[in-house]
Each structure stands twice: as C-alpha cells, then as structure tokens.
Amino acid sequence: MKFEILQQLNAERAARRPAIVVTDTATGAQRLVKAADIAADPLAAELGKQLRMGKSASIEIDGRKLFLNVYAPTAKLVIVGAVHISQALAPLARSLGYDVTVVDPRTAFASPERFPDVPLIAEWPDVALPPLNIDHYTAFVALTHDPKIDDPALLHAFARDCFYIGALGSKKTHAKRLERLKGQGASDADLGRIHAPIGLAIGAVSPSEIAVSIMAEITAALRLPASSKAAAA
C-alpha cells in the first residue's frame, strides 16, 4: 500500500469513518474510497453492499478482478438503563462484536455483580455520555422508563447521529415521550428515528427474548440497505 493511501486510511480510521481500499488484483493499482464519496463512485453499489456487511470481498467488473478491503469502525452499543433486559442485551451484543457500555445513575442497578465484564457508568446522562464519543456507528437504547434519565439521553443520541435509536415503552408511553422531547427542541425528523416500542415484533415476552428482538432490529438497521428498511417500516 502506498504511503499516501496509508496515511489517508489511518486518518479515516482514527476518526471512526469507514473507508474501502480498492485493489486491481492484476496490476496492483490501489485507491482509497472514503464513506462520504461512495455514492458518487462508479462502484457505488458494490462498495455500499460490502460496507453494510462490514466484509471485504473480491468482485469482477468489466473483466477486471478487484479486491475491496473494507475498514469499518467497531460498532458501539450504549445502553441507558441497567435493567433486566440490559443484563441479557449486553452479553448478546458483545458476542456479536459490539463495544458495549451501560449507563445508569442508579447505583443499585448499575453494579458489577449484575454486569460482569461490561463497562458501567453510574452517572447521569449529561455527565456519562459526552466522554463516550457516541457517533454514527453507535446503536443507542433507552430502557429505564424514567424520563429524567431517558429523555436527555435520547436528545444526546439525536445530536450524535446514531445509526439506531430505540426506547422501551408502550405506544401510549412513547406518545407522551414524543411530546416531552418535542417540547425540549427535538425535531420531527429526530423523533421519527426512535424505534418504539423497541425491538422487532416477534412476540417477545421475557427480558432475554426482548433483548433478542432489540438486537435483531439493531442488526437490520446496520446491515440492510435503505430500501429494505423503508419497505419494512
């Protein structure tokens, strides 16, 4: 890899921005495609597909064999609420390769005994969330049922453009949540991004089943093309 390409790639990776190195396997010629430039690239469809999957792959275009080396940031999951669902969700997400953090100011809930080997921050969202550097490669779930905790956390997620935002609660609870958040300056576009009731509708009942439904919905948001997600909505 040429030094110039390596420098650009390292800069993108340091900023948690995905990029793809395209290599012509016959000639060795390489170029770097940043995520922001994929839509205008001649290989947009192929690059977009591999980036969604987070997988490198060989392709053939017009008789040329190309290798697409995908560099995507490790996805994060921030769970606000150290509740029973979180106890099942955190290890499930970790098994899928997510960096998981649990935030809850209630120390009776956010204890190492309940969340072994999971980073815990027993602080209010305004203190806990800014240092986490939440970004577009972060899935964010609010599970406390307490507006004093969930609402400011959701506002932070809006501002950081998380790829998935979900909140626990019934349709009635969510309607009240939307009113509160709108009163605090959230836009209609922001509010429309919340997945609530959270998780895919699979008839989940137990905390473990609800965790599976949440993780499935997060996976769909990360992996499916926009057209498929729109059709499923």
Side-chain angles (χ1 to χ4, degrees), residues 2-232:
K2 290 184 177 179
F3 183 65
E4 180 182 356
I5 292 178
L6 180 61
Q7 281 186 311
Q8 295 178 18
L9 176 60
N10 286 340
E12 294 304 293
R13 296 181 71 184
R16 282 182 54 84
R17 292 189 297 261
I20 300 175
V21 175
V22 181
T23 303
D24 187 316
T25 58
T27 67
Q30 291 185 319
R31 63 189 181 92
L32 178 72
V33 183
K34 301 177 183 179
D37 300 327
I38 287 178
D41 195 273
L43 301 177
E46 292 81 4
L47 295 173
K49 175 184 176 182
Q50 295 310 131
L51 181 57
R52 285 194 310 276
M53 300 304 295
K55 299 290 185 182
S56 301
S58 295
I59 63 171
E60 186 168 339
I61 300 291
D62 298 328
R64 292 188 305 147
K65 293 184 178 180
L66 306 174
F67 185 72
L68 309 183
N69 202 340
V70 175
Y71 295 87
T74 299
K76 299 179 182 180
L77 172 61
V78 174
I79 304 171
V80 176
V83 297
H84 291 311
I85 295 171
S86 307
Q87 288 180 281
L89 181 59
L92 176 58
R94 291 190 68 188
S95 74
L96 296 174
Y98 285 72
D99 284 340
V100 180
T101 303
V102 176
V103 173
D104 197 323
R106 304 168 300 181
T107 54
F109 291 89
S111 67
E113 293 76 19
R114 300 182 74 235
F115 292 89
D117 303 321
V118 176
L120 292 170
I121 304 179
E123 299 282 358
W124 290 87
D126 62 332
V127 174
L129 297 179
L132 294 180
N133 296 318
I134 291 166
D135 58 18
H136 182 65
Y137 266 78
T138 303
F140 192 97
V141 298
L143 304 177
T144 73
H145 270 307
D146 186 339
K148 297 190 302 296
I149 301 173
D150 285 351
D151 288 4
L154 289 168
L155 291 171
H156 186 82
F158 296 153
R160 302 312 298 262
D161 190 33
C162 297
F163 78 85
Y164 174 91
I165 300 174
L168 189 66
S170 65
K171 291 181 179 179
K172 183 177 179 180
T173 297
H174 185 55
K176 293 179 179 178
R177 176 190 293 126
L178 296 180
E179 291 180 8
R180 292 194 309 270
L181 292 173
K182 192 164 188 176
Q184 297 176 68
S187 68
D188 289 339
D190 288 335
L191 300 177
R193 296 180 59 209
I194 304 174
H195 294 263
I198 196 170
L200 294 183
I202 60 173
V205 176
S206 69
S208 294
E209 289 175 345
I210 294 171
V212 169
S213 75
I214 293 171
M215 207 63 234
E217 193 168 55
I218 290 173
T219 302
L222 181 65
R223 301 300 186 202
L224 289 179
S227 57
S228 297
K229 287 184 282 191

